[in-house]
Amino acid sequence: MVFPEYRPRRMRRNETLRALIRETRLSPDQLILPLFVMPGKGKREEVGSMPGVYRMSVDQLGREAQDCLAAGVKSVILFGLPEKKDPMGSGAHARDGIVQRAIRELKNRAPEITVVTDVCLCEYTDHGHCGCLIGDRVDNDTTLELLAKTALSHAQAGADIVAPSDMMDGRVAEIRATLDEHDLSMVPIMSYAVKYASAFYGPFRDAADCAPQFGDRRSYQMDPANSREALREATLDVEEGADILMVKPAVAYLDIIARLHDEFDLPIAAYHVSGEYAMIKAAAQKGWIDEKRVMAETLLSIRRAGADIILTYFAKEMGRLLLNA
Ligand code: PBG
């Protein structure tokens, strides 16, 4: 069928027709809100480079959870700012660590919320790398045990899903085995399977105080130039027992999301990261773009590329927009 017999504009004539043939939809229950938890009481500090995002103390989480639920958002992912850092990142798996306390608080105050935890060492090591060091090299195999201990302590504190973001080889298998040995075989692993060494993490590193003190993360995170390697990374994580595959960042990597969606039958998550959020906020503050429309179009594009789940700092704003639509 060609013009003039076929006219695509026929089905765009009004909103009801457009809605009938809409291929992609976004719903608040597909969104996960990242939360930064800090020590202290009654604390709520806005992150300079992320307007609308706060670091908060554990006692604030009940209220935050209610805000999420009111926006239709049912899942959060926790990042912790520990009181002290050390070379091995021991705060990551402390029984009474910041994230472990945050999990218990959320489970007590808002049991309806699904609590995901980021499993990584970089917020807890004094050198800021995601694993432990031998000399100035981030050592893979000695890090695995620490990651598994961290995931286990999160699951024992009540986490619903653990999400390793460190990019060490073999960590999904190690975490799965450790959880299973401790009767936690029902706790899923959302693997940051395809995580690039990206400049878009800049504002997050301010928020979570986890910039590496020397060097960078390119010896463990992926080279932004590679897409076939993404399939190999994802294949490994599937074989090791991942339940959800994540791509990160999202917008600059929509092609990778689409490839994973085509090649794998596991659910796909995408992390719309701090820099992607900050750019929209900054342009909107200057009055250069319509923030709500750009937010909605961006998150929709991530879904259209093939993500089932989106981790985004816009979760509450997007949720409210969808509920009021
Ligand atoms: C921890 C971690 C990072 C992010 C999520 N988990 C930072 C990094 O790898 O440097 C980034 C999230 C964001 O930018 O929003 N490894």
Side-chain angles (χ1 to χ4, degrees):
M1 259 204 313
V2 290
F3 180 80
E5 288 77 29
Y6 180 62
R7 293 173 180 270
R9 287 187 54 188
R10 248 178 236 145
M11 288 302 292
R12 295 180 200 145
R13 258 173 51 234
N14 62 47
E15 177 50 23
T16 307
L17 290 177
R18 290 191 291 271
L20 272 177
I21 62 162
R22 190 156 292 141
E23 297 175 32
T24 311
R25 284 172 206 276
L26 190 56
S27 156
D29 47 24
Q30 297 164 323
L31 305 176
I32 302 180
L33 178 69
L35 295 177
F36 298 103
V37 194
M38 66 186 292
K41 267 216 155 78
K43 293 243 161 76
R44 229 181 129 78
E45 299 174 0
E46 194 166 18
V47 178
S49 50
M50 301 175 74
V53 174
Y54 296 81
R55 320 200 255 200
M56 62 192 81
S57 48
V58 171
D59 57 280
Q60 304 293 303
L61 291 171
R63 184 184 125 193
E64 186 66 26
Q66 296 315 320
D67 277 4
C68 284
L69 291 171
V73 174
K74 298 179 183 119
S75 307
V76 300
I77 180 165
L78 297 178
F79 296 93
L81 291 107
E83 236 138 296
K84 286 198 294 283
K85 303 184 189 238
D86 61 34
M88 304 292 275
S90 60
H93 53 81
R95 237 200 131 268
D96 215 24
I98 186 83
V99 164
Q100 289 78 0
R101 281 188 282 134
I103 298 164
R104 286 187 218 109
E105 176 78 4
L106 280 168
K107 285 288 135 190
N108 282 332
R109 300 279 302 274
E112 320 88 299
I113 290 273
T114 288
V115 179
V116 186
T117 58
D118 183 82
V119 176
C120 194
L121 301 185
C122 64
E123 294 125 63
Y124 305 90
T125 52
D126 50 13
H127 46 75
H129 278 289
C130 302
C132 38
L133 301 181
I134 295 186
D136 58 5
R137 185 172 56 83
V138 177
D139 188 64
N140 194 86
D141 296 10
T142 49
T143 300
L144 297 181
E145 193 193 333
L146 296 174
L147 293 168
K149 266 173 106 165
T150 302
L152 176 63
S153 75
H154 292 172
Q156 285 174 334
D160 298 291
I161 299 179
V162 293
S165 69
D166 52 281
M167 288 302 277
M168 298 301 125
D169 296 331
R171 92 280 204 194
V172 172
E174 186 87 10
I175 290 171
R176 185 72 274 155
T178 302
L179 292 177
D180 291 357
E181 275 162 30
H182 290 81
D183 263 349
L184 292 161
S185 58
M186 292 305 285
V187 175
I189 299 175
M190 174 162 74
S191 174
Y192 288 69
V194 182
K195 178 176 178 181
Y196 288 93
S198 169
F200 287 100
Y201 307 149
F204 174 93
R205 291 179 188 173
D206 295 338
D209 184 26
C210 69
Q213 296 305 298
F214 65 90
D216 55 45
R217 302 208 203 290
R218 282 183 290 184
S219 76
Y220 39 105
Q221 299 180 348
M222 278 182 56
D223 183 339
N226 294 356
S227 65
R228 295 196 312 142
E229 188 185 357
L231 301 182
R232 285 203 298 280
E233 277 284 2
T235 302
L236 285 170
D237 284 5
V238 173
E239 285 167 357
E240 291 181 27
D243 299 280
I244 300 169
L245 298 172
M246 194 201 298
V247 175
K248 178 182 172 193
V251 179
Y253 298 86
L254 292 178
D255 58 324
I256 308 297
I257 297 172
R259 279 192 88 172
L260 256 66
H261 181 265
D262 288 346
E263 300 281 340
F264 297 92
D265 51 13
L266 285 181
I268 305 291
Y271 200 140
H272 184 243
V273 301
S274 55
E276 300 179 289
Y277 173 85
M279 291 193 306
I280 295 176
K281 282 284 176 187
Q285 281 184 351
K286 282 194 169 279
W288 290 349
I289 56 170
D290 178 333
E291 177 177 345
K292 284 200 165 58
R293 290 189 55 203
V294 170
M295 164 184 78
E297 186 174 332
T298 301
L299 298 178
L300 186 71
S301 76
I302 299 169
R303 287 268 304 128
R304 192 191 62 234
D308 304 288
I309 301 166
I310 304 175
L311 297 90
T312 174
Y313 303 95
F314 278 123
K316 285 190 295 180
E317 280 168 83
M318 189 68 229
R320 283 193 287 267
L321 190 67
L322 288 164
L323 292 184
N324 295 328

